[in-house]
Amino acid sequence: MTNGILIFLMAFLFLFLGYLGVPVAFAIIASVLVVTAFTPVSLASMMTQLFNGIDVEALLAVPFFLLVGELMTSSQVTTRMITLSQALIGHVRGGLAQVVTLFSMFFAGVSGSSAADVAVLSRSIGPDMKREGYDAGFIAALIASAATMANLIPPSIMAVVYGATGNVSIGGLFLAGVVPGLLVGFGLMIYSHFFGPVGVRKQRASFAQLSSAVKGASLPLVIPAIIMGGILGGFFTPTEAGVVAVIYIVAICIPAVNRGYFRRLPHDMAMTGLLYSIPLITIAAASAFGWMLAYLRGPTVVSGWIASAAHNDPMLIMLLLVGLFIIVGDFIDAIPAIIIFMPIILDLTTNAAINPVHMGVVIILTLAFGLITPPYGICLLMASKFTGVTFWRAMLASFPIYVVFFVAIAFTIYFPSVVLWLPKYFLPQSVGCFPNPNGSGYICPP
Amino acid sequence: MILCGVAITGFTVTVTCDIVTRMLSRPWLWLQEVTMTFFIYGVFIGAAAATRRNDHLYLAAIAESLRGRKRLALELFARLVVLGVALSFVWFGSLNTLDGGFKSLRMPSMTPLASLYVAIPFCGVLVALFTLEQIVNGWKNGFEDRA
């Protein structure tokens, strides 16, 4: 069999088994093992590829950022952040819709998990929004869209996986994700203000209420400073920043906010232990898939097609990749997509001299958008399930919101200087700058 | 589930100790090795536990929209594929452990890499057992919806 047929067979088997109800990780592994049988590669050596996929120190950050989200949610520390969001913005038109977006921005800064964000919002603000007469489809669509920011605003699990597998600076990706994340956030606020339901107009919070809310939320809001401050100051790696955030929550936040929670801590540790294994076994499977794809020279062929179609124009290459990833993100989860397609991305990034951090943030933003697109929009699926509305209604309500993501993606592609400003300023070496031999500042590529 | 909790608690503690000992300028190099051991075993044991609880990532839940024999056939097919993969883990994972696992050593303890590779066949055994349990229970009482 030719390489092309084997690649087609592997992709077909994965999607066929996946859509018949085989778990994603097992569908990927089954397709890889079947195709390996037609090659000279030994099946036993594919087990090494599975292992190599997760034997990466940077991936240790994934469980810690999941644990931060789980602990914050379970101990109800997040309710203080919701109160602060309500005090800040609850009085404007579509108040609760604005609160959803603002809370997601805060929460994205402490947790890298969209799933945790959807769970918190659907259970806490979702019922209030229903009582105020918001359309259930709109609630699910807005919560799902706002939750995607967890993958953009640092710390982001997608950025950790992208950086670890693509050998790109995770700190640089974290910082480059801030501008697209805020663009999505402000875009959702503008959309809710002009096109969303009015909701019930409330009185502006008094200064006393606002200062009380700020005081209440101050402990959890230190977490982003710990994480980013630790990484940018060179004190911690992203993994260590994650564990320091966990210790801060367990030792300081929870005793101050909810002492009774400690009885649940062992359960939540066990639950997070289970939760982190799910994306990571998928990463292991996807890295074996990616290895086999590279062995069959798939990335060279596909990147050749894209490069020739785009005449090596970096912007056009990124647009074509966005198109590819919008389609891919509709059918498979973001994490296996990153790993499976990483060889293609790396090939194109190198050949077209695109900044790897810029390419990374464009891909992450596109895959974050994939979390709300059918048929496999996992955030939208979860939000519709939690808010008790059909996926179809939530999907219809989410269509107009796509415009926000299209604008954010276009801005991220066409204005790299704005997107890369933060990493260039705080972590110059992450975007290819090098120290000036004169000793003053850095010299950066254009 | 308990083992998952042990694994995550284990590597949380070792990463913490790693930071502390490094800050005290007395780094314990072996801590990173222990951390990765907890981490990798946690992934494979967690994957097996997630199989039992139907907690894995799924592309679609076609089977849940079906009833009767069609649903039974689809659910059984999915479990048989998982069982096949699990048995591959056991067989090829054992071959890999015995063949390549003793040729490379982990630093600084000089433990054979087999001590980590063996997590794959171990996971395979657990997944196979849990899948068989699901097949038997599903055959008798019908299959549960996914999480």
Side-chain angles (χ1 to χ4, degrees):
Chain A
M1 272 201 254
T2 64
N3 285 0
I5 293 173
L6 288 174
I7 291 171
F8 175 78
L9 177 68
M10 193 160 69
F12 170 78
L13 270 177
F14 160 48
L15 290 174
F16 175 74
L17 295 173
Y19 277 94
L20 280 186
V22 177
V24 173
F26 292 99
I28 296 176
I29 297 166
S31 64
V32 171
L33 291 177
V34 169
V35 167
T36 307
F38 291 101
T39 66
V41 179
S42 81
L43 285 158
S45 71
M46 290 315 290
M47 298 295 137
T48 311
Q49 297 308 326
L50 278 179
F51 175 82
N52 288 344
I54 52 169
D55 189 21
V56 179
E57 199 262 343
L59 288 177
L60 267 165
V62 174
F64 293 131
F65 293 139
L66 277 174
L67 188 57
V68 168
E70 188 73 17
L71 293 175
M72 296 274 291
T73 310
S74 190
S75 63
Q76 299 187 335
V77 174
T78 45
T79 50
R80 303 216 170 187
M81 291 157 78
I82 293 173
T83 309
L84 174 64
S85 308
Q86 280 173 331
L88 282 171
I89 206 163
H91 59 279
V92 301
R93 188 182 186 277
L96 283 183
Q98 307 290 1
V99 169
V100 164
T101 310
L102 189 62
F103 168 78
S104 292
M105 283 183 181
F106 288 147
F107 193 68
V110 298
S111 163
S113 161
S114 294
D117 196 355
V118 172
V120 174
L121 286 170
S122 308
R123 286 167 186 161
S124 54
I125 306 183
D128 289 343
M129 289 179 88
K130 272 187 184 168
R131 270 194 293 279
E132 287 195 11
Y134 286 83
D135 173 62
F138 174 80
I139 300 171
L142 183 70
I143 288 175
S145 307
T148 60
M149 281 187 284
N151 294 295
L152 297 164
I153 295 175
S156 147
I157 289 174
M158 268 196 215
V160 172
V161 173
Y162 190 98
T165 52
N167 203 16
V168 180
S169 160
I170 295 172
L173 287 170
F174 276 0
L175 287 172
V178 172
V179 170
L182 294 179
L183 271 177
V184 170
F186 290 127
L188 290 175
M189 284 179 155
I190 292 168
Y191 173 80
S192 301
H193 186 79
F194 290 106
F195 306 105
V198 182
V200 176
R201 292 298 284 266
K202 297 183 195 76
Q203 278 198 323
R204 185 188 287 268
S206 66
F207 182 74
Q209 286 170 323
L210 186 62
S211 51
S212 156
V214 170
K215 195 178 159 196
S218 56
L219 279 178
L221 287 180
V222 172
I223 296 170
I226 293 177
I227 293 174
M228 288 316 294
I231 295 171
L232 299 179
F235 300 111
F236 317 123
T237 62
T239 304
E240 291 168 349
V243 86
V244 171
V246 169
I247 293 167
Y248 172 78
I249 293 170
V250 174
I252 297 171
C253 277
I254 296 173
V257 175
N258 184 1
R259 271 172 199 271
Y261 163 77
F262 280 110
R263 281 191 298 271
R264 273 186 62 83
L265 186 62
H267 171 267
D268 284 349
M269 291 298 280
M271 200 59 215
T272 312
L274 177 83
L275 281 181
Y276 93 85
S277 72
I278 298 167
L280 279 155
I281 194 73
T282 314
I283 289 174
S287 59
F289 191 103
W291 186 89
M292 183 46 73
L293 201 65
Y295 175 81
L296 297 171
R297 301 193 177 279
T300 319
V301 175
V302 177
S303 60
W305 289 340
I306 293 177
S308 64
H311 303 293
N312 255 2
D313 174 13
M315 300 298 171
L316 209 51
I317 284 177
M318 280 198 261
L319 275 178
L320 289 173
L321 273 179
V322 164
L324 175 72
F325 276 90
I326 285 178
I327 297 167
V328 167
D330 287 345
F331 295 97
I332 57 175
D333 195 55
I335 286 175
I338 288 173
I339 297 162
I340 290 170
F341 288 89
M342 187 52 82
I344 296 171
I345 299 169
L346 289 180
D347 219 28
L348 288 167
T349 308
T350 313
N351 291 343
I354 300 169
N355 190 305
V357 174
H358 185 208
M359 177 67 106
V361 81
V362 169
I363 300 293
I364 291 168
L365 175 57
T366 311
L367 286 169
F369 173 50
L371 297 174
I372 59 162
T373 54
Y376 190 69
I378 192 83
C379 279
L380 198 61
L381 278 166
M382 282 178 65
S384 58
K385 197 171 177 178
F386 287 141
T387 50
V389 64
T390 60
F391 182 68
W392 178 250
R393 259 181 79 187
M395 190 182 75
L396 287 180
S398 69
F399 283 154
I401 298 177
Y402 287 4
V403 175
V404 171
F405 285 88
F406 290 142
V407 171
I409 291 170
F411 185 93
T412 308
I413 291 176
Y414 286 102
F415 296 96
S417 53
V418 180
V419 174
L420 297 181
W421 180 77
L422 274 174
K424 225 174 225 180
Y425 190 79
F426 288 106
L427 278 178
Q429 278 152 324
S430 72
V431 284
C433 304
F434 54 89
N436 192 328
N438 297 337
S440 59
Y442 285 84
I443 298 172
C444 294
Chain B
M1 280 287 281
I2 293 170
L3 286 177
C4 298
V6 170
I8 194 167
T9 309
F11 64 74
T12 304
V13 170
T14 53
V15 173
T16 309
C17 293
D18 197 18
I19 299 171
V20 172
T21 55
R22 197 185 61 219
M23 284 182 167
L24 295 173
S25 304
R26 298 238 185 281
W28 295 348
L29 296 177
W30 54 269
L31 277 171
Q32 290 179 1
E33 208 179 313
V34 179
T35 302
M36 287 314 282
T37 307
F38 274 123
F39 176 65
I40 285 166
Y41 272 87
V43 172
F44 285 105
I45 292 168
T51 306
R52 188 178 204 192
R53 292 165 48 99
N54 273 343
D55 266 342
H56 275 287
L57 291 174
Y58 291 92
L59 285 186
I62 295 174
E64 282 168 27
S65 60
L66 302 173
R67 291 284 168 267
R69 282 175 180 274
K70 278 184 186 169
R71 167 146 191 192
L72 187 69
L74 216 55
E75 295 277 13
L76 275 177
F77 174 76
R79 262 62 174 202
L80 288 174
V81 173
V82 174
L83 186 62
V85 172
L87 295 176
S88 308
F89 274 18
V90 177
W91 179 249
F92 298 114
S94 303
L95 286 181
N96 186 48
T97 305
L98 296 172
D99 184 31
F102 289 95
K103 288 177 186 163
S104 315
L105 301 174
R106 301 173 65 196
M107 297 294 282
S109 71
M110 307 299 274
T111 317
L113 205 53
S115 59
L116 286 183
Y117 282 172
V118 78
I120 298 177
F122 180 56
C123 168
V125 171
L126 292 177
V127 172
L129 289 174
F130 293 149
T131 309
L132 284 172
E133 181 193 24
Q134 283 187 337
I135 290 173
V136 172
N137 288 342
W139 186 266
K140 282 183 186 166
N141 312 317
F143 287 94
E144 287 172 24
D145 285 354
R146 290 174 174 91

